[in-house]
Amino acid sequence: MFFGLESGMQQDFTIGIDCGSTTTKAVIFSVDGRIVGVGRRRVPQHMDQPHHVERDMTEAWQAVVEAMRDSLEDAGLEGNAIAGVGITAHGDGLFLLDRSTRPLGRGIMSLDSRAIDVHDGWKQNGISDRMLQLVGQRPYVYSASTLLAWIRDHQPERYAAIGSVIFAKDWIRFCLTGEIATDLTEASTSFTDLYTQDYSDGILDLLGLKAIRSALPLMRLSCDRGGAVTAEAAAATGLLAGTPVSVGLHDVTAAAVGLGHTQPGELSITAGTFSINEVFRDQPVTGEGWACRAGYRRGLWNCMAISPASASNLEWLARLLLPAESEAAQALSQEMESRLAAPREERTIPLYHPFLFGSPYEMPASASLFGVQSWHDRADLFQAMVEGTVFNHREHVEALRKTGPIRRLGVSGGGSGRPAVAQMFADILGMPVEIPEVREAGALGAALTASVAVGLHADLEAAVAAQHIPLTVYRPRQTRASVYERIFQRYEALTSAMQPFWAGLYNTERPESTKPALPDTPLMNYAMAGGHIREARP
């Protein structure tokens, strides 16, 4: 199966730039989605103070410059072969320019947690609940609005000097074109009315941020032209001066488009550092367990359920168990797959909570392995972690089902290209799972906005339809899906049982009166009695 194939297209090339949390990629695509050149550069994170995770804006631009030159060299192309450039980057966070368009300090990344007190204060005084109705989501610790409030309170001179409030991809586009703008997907992370999808002065008033209203940039659509490559940027990157640059997308939306999803009811899962789960809707839907932001065009919304609890768990275990193995995760996957033919109930695999780096819950959480016995080996532990990360994705998918029907579901990342892992997604989610042979989905989504901006395609839907990308569908196996349904219920029961312990796990000096009450359940009574849980029943 394929996304689609549109014949007779001229063979122009576009570049998709994807500036992730640790790596910047520049990927050159043909008009039908083939990768013809790739450049990569690492970008350091600066963590000089606790809870501060920042990016030097000049270093970020230099990484793009080098990655773009590498991609042209890898493809064997000159800059005049590139029809257009599209950009995506790590979403949320905050990048600031002063009134002379110079960087106003480092960019703040979405891994930053300095504004936790602002976030908690808004929760306590009811502002977060009001924001859910106005914006479609409660502010996160790393939201631009939360970070701006922190800067207002802790760095008033910096706050007073703000000339432009932009996001990571907007900074890269400014460096390429000299033009300041953002798009609908980024602006909706903090500043736009849920229903009109325009900037809202009422939101700024509620948050005490009226002073930065004039600093909010021009908001455009993702496939609009956002300027052209300047002579200075052309000399640095190897592109041709005047090459059009599209406005681009938030990275979450770019990944969905790169997977071939543009229509309401199409759900995308990205298993990476974060568990990213998103579904397009043709009307705004608010509720607990997801954020409702703007889609890539007006009249489209993106319901997203996200947590930092996915494939990063597997990478951690692989490095721990096979430190000398360069492809440790792949080696462990092969060991795991050799056993997956056996019925799941016949192999007593432990259960795993994948909360090494965070969780979906508004409370402290910790990763845990349950039911580990002496006969378990590293392949069993790896399988437990794979299953646990997919269970976490399922929790998010269950929340997104409340927003409306799901027409199709696609998965990328987290080893989903391996048939055994893809089949596990289908069995655990209980629905057909599409695995496109897409590499660099985020960069592809960005490049497709450029293909529309320069007229290679009429719109983003047509651009996606023109991609000649093989697609494999995995359908749930009834017997295995039934087994995973029971195991998922145990996973949820253990989550509930552990929540009272999480806050105090690392504080051994808490007074007895402040310790959380323990739930009076058979599972908890058994655990407190010193029992070993081998095969807990739902």
Side-chain angles (χ1 to χ4, degrees):
M1 296 182 64
F2 302 89
F3 286 173
L5 177 61
E6 187 174 314
S7 60
M9 299 293 293
Q10 59 186 14
Q11 291 300 305
D12 290 280
F13 301 99
T14 53
I15 289 185
I17 299 171
D18 184 358
C19 302
S21 297
T22 58
T23 303
T24 286
K25 291 168 280 191
V27 187
I28 302 176
F29 294 94
S30 68
V31 75
D32 61 359
R34 289 181 297 108
I35 293 177
V36 297
V38 180
R40 290 184 176 85
R41 280 292 187 273
R42 300 280 292 182
V43 190
Q45 297 175 0
H46 296 275
M47 294 176 279
D48 301 341
Q49 302 179 56
H51 307 292
H52 289 226
V53 184
E54 300 177 324
R55 170 157 289 170
D56 183 278
M57 294 166 70
T58 302
E59 290 176 350
W61 166 238
Q62 187 59 36
V64 170
V65 166
E66 295 172 2
M68 292 185 76
R69 284 197 166 275
D70 289 349
S71 69
L72 289 168
E73 181 179 354
D74 186 47
L77 295 174
E78 299 293 332
N80 58 11
I82 304 302
V85 181
I87 309 170
T88 188
H90 61 85
D92 295 74
L94 181 67
F95 281 54
L96 298 174
L97 303 179
D98 66 16
R99 293 183 179 86
S100 298
T101 69
R102 295 185 297 252
L104 189 58
R106 291 173 177 160
I108 304 175
M109 302 183 68
S110 56
L111 298 171
D112 194 280
S113 60
R114 72 185 70 182
I116 184 66
D117 289 342
V118 174
H119 173 265
D120 289 350
W122 286 349
K123 283 173 58 179
Q124 292 168 10
N125 63 21
I127 286 178
S128 289
D129 290 336
R130 293 173 66 186
M131 287 287 284
L132 176 63
Q133 300 306 316
L134 291 172
V135 187
Q137 64 202 304
R138 294 183 175 89
Y140 297 104
V141 173
Y142 50 80
S143 294
S145 54
T146 317
L147 292 166
L148 282 165
W150 185 91
I151 292 171
R152 178 199 63 205
D153 297 342
H154 295 272
Q155 298 174 342
E157 292 184 1
R158 185 184 184 190
Y159 186 75
I162 293 174
S164 297
V165 174
I166 58 175
F167 298 90
K169 80 165 190 329
D170 304 326
W171 163 245
I172 300 305
R173 192 182 56 257
F174 172 73
C175 292
L176 279 170
T177 68
E179 295 194 16
I180 296 174
T182 194
D183 82 301
L184 199 59
T185 63
E186 297 276 22
S188 70
T189 63
S190 290
F191 305 117
T192 59
D193 181 280
L194 174 63
Y195 298 95
T196 68
Q197 298 183 317
D198 291 319
Y199 286 135
S200 167
D201 291 340
I203 292 169
L204 297 177
D205 288 346
L206 177 63
L207 301 179
L209 297 174
K210 284 194 301 183
I212 58 92
R213 176 63 181 89
S214 62
L216 295 182
L218 176 68
M219 181 171 54
R220 308 182 69 178
L221 298 182
S222 300
C223 294
D224 288 349
R225 289 198 184 194
V229 174
T230 64
E232 182 181 3
T237 62
L239 295 172
L240 189 68
T243 302
V245 181
S246 63
V247 176
L249 293 160
H250 185 289
D251 62 344
V252 170
T253 314
V257 171
L259 281 176
H261 293 175
T262 59
Q263 300 298 315
E266 295 182 334
L267 192 149
S268 310
I269 289 177
T270 304
T273 302
F274 275 67
S275 168
I276 298 174
N277 313 268
E278 53 186 319
V279 62
F280 288 125
R281 295 295 177 204
D282 56 8
Q283 59 184 2
V285 188
T286 60
E288 300 297 333
W290 68 88
C292 186
R293 297 178 172 181
Y296 61 85
R297 59 170 172 79
R298 290 187 178 274
L300 188 70
W301 285 262
N302 191 7
C303 295
M304 305 187 311
I306 297 174
S307 63
S310 190
S312 48
N313 286 265
L314 311 181
E315 296 163 3
W316 172 82
L317 182 66
R319 290 194 303 269
L320 194 66
L321 295 180
L322 298 173
E325 176 68 58
S326 60
E327 299 293 337
Q330 182 175 340
L332 289 173
S333 293
Q334 291 172 345
E335 290 183 21
M336 175 191 75
E337 289 170 10
S338 67
R339 303 174 179 183
L340 287 179
R344 173 60 171 79
E345 292 280 74
E346 290 183 6
R347 289 195 58 78
T348 56
I349 304 299
L351 275 169
Y352 177 66
H353 283 160
F355 308 141
L356 276 176
F357 303 99
S359 78
Y361 315 112
E362 289 195 6
M363 63 180 69
S366 299
S368 303
L369 277 163
F370 300 94
V372 181
Q373 299 290 345
S374 60
W375 61 77
H376 289 130
D377 58 20
R378 65 189 187 191
D380 294 325
L381 299 184
F382 192 75
Q383 181 175 340
M385 285 198 170
V386 175
E387 292 177 348
T389 59
V390 181
F391 287 146
N392 186 62
H393 279 283
R394 175 170 166 173
E395 282 205 308
H396 291 308
V397 170
E398 292 297 325
L400 292 176
R401 286 179 187 273
K402 299 175 185 177
T403 68
I406 296 173
R407 295 176 50 239
R408 57 188 292 213
L409 187 155
V411 181
S412 68
S416 59
R418 303 183 72 90
V421 176
Q423 185 62 59
M424 189 181 293
F425 267 97
D427 293 338
I428 290 176
L429 296 176
M431 61 186 302
V433 167
E434 299 175 358
I435 308 292
E437 292 183 16
V438 173
R439 291 165 42 225
E440 312 298 353
L444 176 58
L448 291 177
T449 67
S451 72
V452 176
V454 302
L456 294 177
H457 301 288
D459 52 37
L460 204 52
E461 292 87 346
V464 166
Q467 303 310 294
H468 188 189
I469 299 174
L471 181 73
T472 304
V473 179
Y474 293 83
R475 302 185 184 279
R477 300 166 295 185
Q478 184 174 357
T479 301
R480 188 69 66 114
S482 297
V483 170
Y484 273 128
E485 180 65 32
R486 294 193 296 272
I487 297 171
F488 179 66
Q489 291 176 18
R490 299 173 204 159
Y491 172 92
E492 290 191 305
L494 282 166
T495 300
S496 298
M498 284 300 298
Q499 286 183 6
F501 291 100
W502 281 336
L505 277 177
Y506 302 109
N507 185 352
T508 59
E509 298 179 356
R510 297 180 68 189
E512 189 68 29
S513 61
T514 67
K515 291 181 180 179
L518 303 181
D520 185 17
T521 65
L523 178 62
M524 185 57 62
N525 291 339
Y526 186 58
M528 293 301 292
H532 298 284
I533 302 172
R534 295 177 180 269
E535 202 49 45
R537 297 294 175 184

